[in-house]
Amino acid sequence: MNRREPDQDESAAAPARGGLLWVVATPIGNLGDLSPRAVEVLRTADLILAEDTRHTRPLLQQFGIGTPLWALHEHNEAGMVARCLARLAAGQRLALVSDAGTPLVSDPGFRLVRAAREAGIEVSPVPGPCALIAALSVAGLPSDRFCFEGFLPARAAARREAIARLRAEPRTLIFYESAHRIVEALADLAAGLGAERRATLARELTKRFETVLHGTLQQLQARCAIDPDQQRGEFVLVVEGAADDAMARLAEGRRIQALLAAHLPPSTAARLAAELSGAPRKALYDSAKAEA
Ligand code: SAM
């Protein structure tokens, strides 16, 4: 039985088949990006689990897919898991989709996938579009290692704190951001990571008004702030990682040391800050002594 060709594995003589959960990527804008295999899996599944049925139904109609549809979103996922597991245990094949892109990537589905795995049910990906990968692929920033941060916190203080923790991160950073916070987020990133950090702002990827802007964080913030068109739609922000140099490590060490100094003796604060940042302990201790 070849599960990669679901149209070929239905046979009256076949023994009872095992349940299977497919995790299916759908387009992030351009419907042409729904793969032929995704169409086939969605067509032959017993049931599709969709983040928002109102969003997924038109997509299915477009491809002439009449498979039954259930809603599975962050507010009902905990309760839906048992119902889905019962169907999977009975040998059904379920397909999980989200509103756009790859399920579980800043989208629901994690609880269901974990529960299915724990129940010994096969879980299989049908890969395809994902906004962060699409943005990274055109950013022109180092892509051998990267760090996906999802959405930054909505509240300014929490957002700035989250950004401060990333200041010394050497890997390329990737963020999702909403239209109404993009200018604010760029300003906070420029202030927290350095105005001269290079970045790419990928907007409305694969859609009619796709734009991919490159520049420093400061330039991108200025561009978005004066152009209302650049404040509409969906965004991925790709930011180059921190230069792994001694100055960056020292700056990060000093930041950590200042936080620890409120609770610990100076020598302990300097030792822990050195371990966490990679900066020399003596340099941290000496600079704290000089400031005292
Ligand atoms: N699961 C999706 C994926 O695989 O990319 C992400 C879902 S998340 C709830 C939605 C966010 O992804 C948007 O707010 C935006 O940051 C980003 N996004 C989705 N589609 C996009 C597009 N076409 N262009 C740019 N960003 C997009």
Side-chain angles (χ1 to χ4, degrees):
M1 188 169 81
N2 183 356
R3 69 181 165 78
R4 308 232 175 267
E5 293 177 326
D7 51 339
Q8 291 176 7
D9 64 8
E10 307 295 338
S11 144
R17 62 185 189 177
L20 171 60
L21 175 64
W22 279 297
V23 181
V24 184
T26 57
I28 56 170
N30 190 321
L31 293 191
D33 293 337
L34 188 68
S35 74
R37 189 158 90 87
V39 172
E40 201 48 40
V41 162
L42 294 173
R43 182 170 285 139
T44 55
D46 294 300
L47 177 67
I48 297 173
L49 305 163
E51 183 182 4
D52 184 343
T53 55
R54 288 164 307 177
H55 191 98
T56 299
R57 195 163 282 118
L59 175 76
L60 299 181
Q61 276 164 359
Q62 185 85 19
F63 288 86
I65 297 168
T67 308
L69 204 53
W70 279 6
L72 184 137
H73 44 71
E74 61 173 318
H75 304 295
N76 76 350
E77 186 174 354
M80 283 292 290
V81 165
R83 293 179 69 190
C84 295
L85 284 186
R87 290 198 164 223
L88 290 163
Q92 289 203 356
R93 293 170 167 222
L94 272 49
L96 173 71
V97 298
S98 62
D99 283 355
T102 301
L104 280 82
V105 177
S106 293
D107 269 342
F110 161 68
R111 286 194 191 100
L112 176 63
V113 168
R114 183 168 62 180
R117 287 225 167 277
E118 285 172 0
I121 287 157
E122 188 178 356
V123 183
S124 180
V126 182
C130 180
L132 80 99
I133 298 297
L136 181 66
S137 73
V138 294
L141 292 169
S143 53
D144 48 348
R145 285 185 177 74
F146 60 89
C147 173
F148 174 53
E149 283 292 314
F151 289 94
L152 282 165
R155 283 184 39 252
R159 185 169 60 241
R160 287 171 196 157
E161 179 54 38
I163 291 169
R165 280 198 297 270
L166 294 169
R167 189 178 169 84
E169 171 58 61
R171 291 170 296 180
T172 294
L173 298 160
I174 306 179
F175 302 93
Y176 283 167
E177 196 46 271
S178 68
H180 61 279
R181 265 199 300 273
I182 189 66
V183 176
E184 235 179 303
L186 282 166
D188 285 344
L189 284 162
L193 302 182
E196 296 308 312
R197 277 271 188 119
R198 287 188 305 164
T200 295
L201 186 60
R203 184 177 81 94
E204 294 287 90
L205 290 171
T206 78
K207 302 188 207 176
R208 184 164 170 214
F209 296 110
E210 172 180 299
T211 49
V212 180
L213 303 175
H214 306 277
T216 65
L217 283 169
Q218 190 169 40
Q219 288 167 339
L220 291 176
Q221 194 274 339
R223 170 76 198 276
C224 288
I226 56 158
D227 184 352
D229 282 344
Q230 295 302 325
Q231 297 170 32
R232 297 196 180 103
E234 299 192 280
F235 297 85
V236 183
L237 182 59
V238 187
V239 183
E240 80 176 336
D244 187 20
D245 61 22
M247 290 309 289
R249 284 198 296 277
L250 194 57
E252 177 62 1
R254 285 194 176 130
R255 186 186 75 82
I256 297 171
Q257 186 181 17
L259 292 171
L260 295 177
H263 310 283
L264 297 170
S267 59
T268 312
R271 182 171 54 76
L272 289 175
E275 274 176 29
L276 290 168
S277 65
R281 187 192 60 80
K282 188 169 177 332
L284 292 175
Y285 188 68
D286 289 351
S287 70
K289 250 192 3 198
E291 280 168 20

